[in-house]
Amino acid sequence: MGMSTCSVGENMEGVSLISIHQVITEGKGSLQFFESSRDIPFDIQRIYYITDVSSGVWRGGHAHKQLKQLVFCPYGRIRIELSNTREKTVVVLDKPNVGILIERPIWRDMLWEVEDSVLCVAASDYYLVEDYIRDYSEYEKYMEERR
Ligand code: TYD
């Protein structure tokens, strides 16, 4: 893979902090990029992004059974809380060249710390309702059965 990766503080399985390629041009800003399969360990089937969120708003509150995602914040500051029922870790995304790679069914809650922060997601599959777990006790049960 072309990217340098480093693991998140608490080293939760299936969660890694990724450094995204960045090209800085003096006086003309920065350009970031990553390539499907080469830089992230899946083919990207879908990209979505969340905009126009006020500060203090929480989103998320779900886990995915199969979906893999690279989550990044090109503008603003968003706090991502991740849990696998046994461990919890918090990542603050506030740089355009840092992303979180989530490759396991991890529960996530996201707090917009700065108004109009943009959350972008590159995902390994199309939108599938059946891939979501939106109830935390159902998630605990799912994880227990997986172990
Ligand atoms: P949701 O996953 O609930 O957003 P969040 O977890 O950030 O609160 O998605 C909000 C709505 O958008 C929900 O009705 C499903 C729909 N949606 C799609 O149709 N396609 C998509 O790719 C995504 C991510 C959501």
Side-chain angles (χ1 to χ4, degrees), residues 17-98:
L17 268 189
I18 293 281
S19 157
I20 297 171
H21 299 297
Q22 184 173 52
V23 182
I24 300 171
T25 311
E26 184 68 35
K28 294 210 293 179
S30 302
L31 180 150
Q32 288 71 223
F33 67 92
F34 53 89
E35 296 184 340
S36 187
S37 296
R38 291 185 175 173
D39 293 321
I40 55 172
F42 55 82
D43 283 330
I44 298 165
Q45 298 295 345
R46 176 171 51 117
I47 290 175
Y48 63 91
Y49 40 97
I50 300 174
T51 59
D52 301 303
V53 181
S54 302
S55 71
V57 169
W58 285 90
R59 296 192 63 127
H62 63 253
H64 289 283
K65 294 175 188 168
Q66 301 290 340
L67 192 71
K68 296 177 183 178
Q69 297 167 302
L70 180 66
V71 179
F72 56 104
C73 173
Y75 181 81
R77 188 168 75 243
I78 301 172
R79 177 186 169 91
I80 317 281
E81 297 193 357
L82 300 160
S83 166
N84 63 9
T85 72
R86 292 186 177 170
E87 301 169 86
K88 197 173 164 178
T89 192
V90 174
V91 179
V92 175
L93 290 178
D94 61 357
K95 294 178 189 69
N97 65 331
V98 173

